[in-house]
Amino acid sequence: MTNQQGRLRMRVAVFACVSAAALIVDQLTKAWALAALSSGQTIRVIPGLLSLTLVRNPGASLGMGANVTWIISLLAIVASCALLYFGVRSVSLKWTVSLSLAFAGAFGNLIDRVMYADGFLNGKVVDFLNYGWSVGNVADIYLVAAGVAIVVLILLNEPFSTADADEAHANNAESNGAKVDAE
């Protein structure tokens, strides 16, 4: 087995483990919310900051697109496939973990849209974490965390692919060569 094959296997394993663990937590918390909370009931956890309120959201963030749920579901399918593809193609473990969290968030909400559908991909997402201005779920937390991590990785120029890593290495070699010439 070559070193590249070993890295690919490791990235696939990390992607699978992080995604599976995150999906399990997401689905377990949603199952708990469905069993423990009645619709409209609010339980204060941290007054003024967080409460628990069961909501079945047909739309996307903040309820947008509630009447085109099937389009949101199709976009979630495309996003999940793309995140899976790019997650295992990355040469960076940081990118792999970030993309696996984004995958878990998108796929976790897609599971709800399929499980609770009464028509073509028109199911509702189980939301229960009430922040006062929005109600979300654990999958939404994964999506936000992954989004922040991806922005940070871009700002830090973390190489995503072999080509990016080679380019970064070449740029470092050039700048080190310029330092040597200046001395």
Side-chain angles (χ1 to χ4, degrees), residues 21-62:
L23 278 167
I24 289 168
V25 170
D26 173 59
Q27 292 300 304
L28 286 176
T29 58
K30 289 174 181 175
W32 171 84
L34 287 170
L37 301 171
S38 60
S39 218
Q41 172 191 17
T42 296
I43 299 172
R44 292 194 197 315
V45 178
I46 303 171
L49 187 61
L50 178 67
S51 59
L52 303 175
T53 307
L54 181 62
V55 175
R56 293 177 187 243
N57 181 5
S61 180
L62 302 173

Side-chain angles (χ1 to χ4, degrees), residues 12-172:
V12 169
V14 166
F15 189 95
C17 289
V18 170
S19 296
L23 278 167
I24 289 168
V25 170
D26 173 59
Q27 292 300 304
L28 286 176
T29 58
K30 289 174 181 175
W32 171 84
L34 287 170
L37 301 171
S38 60
S39 218
Q41 172 191 17
T42 296
I43 299 172
R44 292 194 197 315
V45 178
I46 303 171
L49 187 61
L50 178 67
S51 59
L52 303 175
T53 307
L54 181 62
V55 175
R56 293 177 187 243
N57 181 5
S61 180
L62 302 173
M64 294 185 293
N67 51 351
V68 289
T69 300
W70 66 274
I71 292 175
I72 295 168
S73 298
L74 289 176
L75 290 173
I77 291 168
V78 170
S80 295
C81 291
L83 289 163
L84 178 62
Y85 174 80
F86 287 114
V88 298
R89 302 252 328 155
S90 169
V91 297
S92 164
L93 195 57
K94 295 171 190 170
W95 275 104
T96 300
V97 170
S98 299
L99 293 171
S100 67
L101 281 176
F103 171 81
F107 197 69
N109 284 338
L110 178 61
I111 289 170
D112 288 11
R113 293 187 188 285
V114 171
M115 281 181 45
Y116 305 116
D118 53 350
F120 179 69
L121 297 176
N122 69 346
K124 298 175 180 170
V125 175
V126 175
D127 288 337
F128 61 94
L129 299 171
N130 187 341
Y131 304 105
W133 54 273
S134 175
V135 181
N137 58 44
V138 174
D140 298 334
I141 294 170
Y142 297 151
L143 288 167
V144 170
V148 170
I150 289 168
V151 168
V152 169
L153 292 173
I154 291 168
L155 292 174
L156 295 176
N157 291 321
E158 177 70 24
F160 176 81
S161 65
T162 305
D164 292 343
D166 292 344
E167 183 180 328
H169 182 70
N171 289 340
N172 286 339

